[in-house]
């Protein structure tokens, strides 16, 4: 699941809500104009299935129901006002589709409220707290100590915080802006927000930086309109991680929107990585079949060695994903395919992978296209030496499988690679002996080299 069109309008419906109890008048104008534009786009795209929802500001405002009626008329589809429970549940469902078997607490920070929901929990056990920047700003708190005290008082009643959690999945644009600043200050080499992990210490360090640079233009350059209230959202995140004794904060670009789509399409149990790659690559059934055959052809060589990741299940899943992208740079100039394949995988809208796993997949594809490929040092240092070596080995295996078979799944299904003692053996039917060209022999030898084996062909 990945967006084909994405547009955001920061209407600020909750601005002044604490003081007046009503939606912001300028915010209403912006929001309704945006909905009118979106309706025109939907009509132009021929989209017939539309779901429109409103969250905390509309939920608590005295004129929220009236706004919902007007919005429904403009957009041409019923606008549902989500409860705080539903908002947290759907955000958690979105996170569950964006990561592989995540565990921890989802924290979704909007303009007015903070929703907390534990992954894997039942559908009736979420929390809503008025800790959004617009709500905190309405309290007219300016001193850091006062803001922290206010946040602590509100979170003191949180069962999720009291229960403690190892991982906090942070959802919301304000926290993505926070992560951008952390990336810049730490000189982090992979500028991909989804899956970016921050230690509790880095959260605190970044919060201190934001508090001491509130008026710097550089914050506006990164956070835009969120810069003026970024100190509030930073303090909420810092207090949340400290009070909950979190070990890490993981940034999620998946949240409420993706949860709505996942619920509508029944994607809750799907593997977002494999399904997303097939969709992103626009793979035909024959291409998917070849990827599956390539995975089977190459996987058996590595099953006897210890995995480069925590378990074989994790590594095999990444290996399979790389096979789905095996032809991702096939249409580029041969001299640049390895770099293009690496960059494409590195920055593709992949879900269900950590940053380390993303780099691993990208590295396998670099070596799939060139045996002389090297991973940039800034990125290679994020992987272990064993993970780098395995990426190189898998890449060479894919390189052999594609040239041997001519990218035919049917041909590849009749052959197999085996490790026999100190030899890497390509086994195939005798009638297919002509398939072993000089290029195939060369790539077989290259693969054997990276496995510290000798190469052989067995006709059966």
């Amino acid at each position: 699941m990945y967006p084909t069109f994405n547009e955001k309008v920061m209407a600020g419906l909750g601005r002044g809500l604490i003081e007046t109890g009503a939606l912001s008048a300028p915010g209403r104008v912006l929001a309704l104009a945006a909905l009118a534009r979106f309706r025109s786009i939907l009509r132009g795209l021929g989209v017939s299935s539309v779901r429109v929802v409103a969250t905390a500001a509309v939920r608590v405002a005295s004129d929220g129901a009236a706004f919902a009626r007007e919005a429904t008329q403009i957009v041409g589809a019923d606008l549902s006002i989500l409860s705080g429970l539903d908002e947290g549940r759907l955000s958690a469902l979105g996170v569950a589709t964006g990561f592989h078997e995540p565990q921890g607490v989802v924290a979704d920070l909007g303009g007015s409220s903070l929703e907390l929901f534990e992954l894997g929990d039942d559908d009736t056990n979420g929390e809503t707290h008025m800790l959004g920047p617009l709500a905190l700003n309405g309290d007219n708190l300016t001193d850091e100590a006062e803001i922290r005290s206010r946040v602590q008082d509100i979170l003191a009643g949180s069962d999720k915080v009291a229960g403690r959690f190892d991982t906090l999945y942070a959802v919301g644009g304000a926290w993505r802006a926070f992560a951008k600043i952390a990336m810049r200050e730490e000189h982090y080499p992979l500028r991909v927000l989804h899956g970016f992990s921050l230690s509790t210490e880095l959260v605190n360090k970044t919060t201190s930086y934001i508090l001491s640079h509130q008026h710097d233009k550089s914050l506006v350059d990164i956070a835009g309109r969120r810069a003026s209230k970024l100190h509030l959202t930073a303090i909420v995140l810092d207090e949340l991680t400290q009070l909950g004794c979190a070990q890490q904060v993981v940034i999620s670009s998946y949240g409420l929107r993706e949860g709505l789509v996942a619920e509508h399409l029944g994607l809750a149990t799907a593997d977002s990585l494999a399904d997303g790659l097939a969709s992103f690559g626009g793979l035909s059934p024959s291409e998917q079949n070849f990827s599956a055959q390539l995975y089977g052809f190459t996987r058996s060589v590595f099953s006897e060695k210890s995995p480069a990741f925590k378990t074989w299940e994790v590594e095999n899943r990444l290996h399979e994903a790389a096979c789905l992208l095996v032809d991702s740079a096939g249409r580029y100039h041969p001299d640049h395919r390895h770099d293009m394949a690496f960059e494409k995988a590195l920055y593709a809208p992949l879900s269900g992978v950590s940053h380390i796993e993303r780099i691993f997949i990208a590295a396998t594809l670099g070596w799939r296209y060139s045996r002389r490929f090297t991973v940039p040092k800034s990125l290679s240092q994020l992987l272990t030496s064993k993970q780098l070596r395995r990426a190189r080995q898998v890449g060479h295996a894919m390189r052999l499988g594609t040239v041997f078979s001519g990218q035919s799944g049917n041909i590849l299904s009749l052959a197999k690679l085996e490790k026999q003692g100190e030899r890497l053996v390509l086994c195939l039917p005798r009638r297919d002996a002509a398939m072993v060209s000089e290029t195939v022999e060369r790539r077989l030898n290259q693969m054997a080299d990276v496995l510290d084996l000798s190469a052989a062909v067995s006709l059966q």
Side-chain angles (χ1 to χ4, degrees):
M1 176 172 57
Y2 65 95
T4 56
F5 178 80
N6 180 33
E7 183 172 322
K8 176 179 288 185
V9 174
M10 293 179 63
L13 281 171
R15 189 173 291 110
L17 180 61
I18 297 298
E19 298 93 335
T20 67
L23 297 173
S24 161
R28 283 179 61 109
V29 173
L30 281 174
L32 295 175
L35 289 175
R37 169 176 160 75
F38 294 160
R39 181 180 184 179
S40 296
I41 293 172
L42 293 171
R43 187 186 298 117
L45 294 174
V47 175
S48 58
S49 179
V50 180
R51 188 168 180 190
V52 188
V53 300
T55 55
V58 178
R59 183 167 63 240
V60 303
S62 60
D63 56 345
F67 172 84
R69 289 192 295 270
E70 190 172 356
T72 293
Q73 185 175 15
I74 288 175
V75 82
D78 288 338
L79 183 148
S80 301
I81 302 177
L82 297 178
S83 67
L85 177 62
D86 274 338
E87 189 175 346
R89 177 183 64 82
L90 289 166
S91 289
L93 180 57
V95 169
T97 64
F99 295 89
H100 185 56
E101 300 178 349
Q103 295 182 328
V105 169
V106 174
D108 185 353
L109 185 73
S112 298
S113 67
L114 168 70
E115 274 66 46
L116 297 176
F117 206 96
E118 188 170 355
L119 289 157
D121 211 344
D122 63 62
D123 291 347
T124 62
N125 196 15
E127 297 177 356
T128 298
H129 304 281
M130 296 304 287
L131 282 171
L134 296 179
L136 286 174
N137 195 57
D139 288 338
N140 295 316
L141 304 175
T142 56
D143 180 74
E144 178 186 351
E146 289 181 328
I147 299 170
R148 287 189 180 275
S149 178
R150 176 63 174 155
V151 174
Q152 290 167 5
D153 287 345
I154 293 175
L155 291 178
S158 169
D159 291 335
K160 300 301 178 190
V161 172
R164 309 297 171 84
F165 41 82
D166 288 334
T167 301
L168 182 77
Y169 290 89
V171 177
W175 284 341
R176 290 194 295 274
F178 179 97
K180 288 181 182 179
I181 293 168
M183 283 181 168
R184 185 193 67 182
E185 291 305 302
E186 293 297 301
H187 304 288
Y188 187 74
L190 181 56
R191 298 303 174 91
V192 174
L193 288 172
H194 185 69
F196 176 52
S197 176
L198 302 87
S199 65
T200 305
E201 292 74 21
L202 181 54
V203 170
N204 183 257
K205 179 181 177 182
T206 306
T207 299
S208 297
Y209 176 85
I210 290 170
L211 290 171
S212 62
H213 293 77
Q214 286 186 55
H215 305 295
D216 285 11
K217 182 180 180 298
S218 63
L219 289 191
V220 178
D221 292 340
I222 293 177
R225 291 174 59 185
R226 291 190 172 93
S228 63
K229 298 179 181 62
L230 198 58
H231 64 294
L232 299 172
T233 56
I235 289 174
V236 171
L237 185 59
D238 193 29
E239 289 294 333
L240 192 55
T241 55
Q242 292 188 49
L243 293 171
C245 297
Q247 298 300 307
Q248 65 172 341
V249 173
V250 178
I251 302 298
S252 176
S253 296
Y254 283 55
L256 174 63
R257 177 183 62 185
E258 289 73 22
L260 287 165
V261 175
E263 183 178 63
H264 178 69
L265 297 179
L267 300 178
T269 59
D271 185 336
S272 60
L273 177 60
D275 291 349
L277 283 174
S279 179
F280 173 69
L283 301 182
S284 66
S286 64
E287 289 171 323
Q288 291 188 57
N289 175 60
F290 175 71
S291 295
Q293 295 296 339
L294 180 64
Y295 171 63
F297 176 77
T298 56
R299 177 181 175 273
S300 60
V301 178
F302 306 105
S303 59
E304 296 179 5
K305 291 181 175 289
S306 60
F309 287 82
K310 185 176 181 180
T311 65
W312 274 116
E313 180 185 3
V314 172
E315 181 169 323
N316 290 340
R317 183 170 173 269
L318 302 178
H319 186 156
E320 187 174 13
C323 288
L324 284 166
L325 290 171
V326 67
D327 197 36
S328 59
R331 296 187 179 183
Y332 293 106
H333 189 283
D335 292 348
H336 303 287
R337 285 175 184 164
H338 56 288
D339 287 331
M340 297 303 294
F342 178 75
E343 291 285 325
K344 191 171 183 178
L346 198 61
Y347 297 109
L350 306 184
S351 59
V353 288
S354 67
H355 276 200
I356 289 173
E357 293 168 343
R358 177 185 288 268
I359 297 169
F360 177 85
I361 292 172
T364 65
L365 292 165
W367 275 302
R368 172 265 183 270
Y369 279 107
S370 173
R371 65 187 181 89
R372 295 184 176 87
F373 173 76
T374 57
V375 180
K377 185 177 181 180
S378 61
L379 295 169
S380 66
Q381 64 187 6
L382 298 180
L383 303 181
T384 66
S385 59
K386 188 170 186 177
Q387 288 166 347
L388 273 174
R389 178 175 170 80
R390 184 56 51 79
R392 184 171 177 233
Q393 292 169 342
V394 172
H396 275 70
M398 294 166 63
R399 187 170 168 80
L400 168 62
T402 52
V403 73
F404 162 72
S405 65
Q407 295 189 215
S408 166
N410 294 331
I411 292 175
L412 205 57
S413 67
L414 300 175
K416 59 182 177 179
L417 278 175
E418 290 183 351
K419 181 185 174 186
Q420 298 179 3
E422 297 302 313
R423 298 191 309 164
L424 176 67
V425 183
L426 172 61
C427 306
L428 66 155
R430 187 171 297 277
R431 67 175 184 273
D432 291 338
M435 295 294 297
V436 185
S437 66
E438 180 183 348
T439 301
V440 171
E441 287 186 336
R442 184 169 63 251
R443 292 197 180 178
L444 176 61
N445 279 306
Q446 290 168 356
M447 183 186 174
D449 284 343
V450 300
L451 290 169
D452 296 323
L453 302 172
S454 59
V457 175
S458 175
L459 302 177
Q460 302 169 348

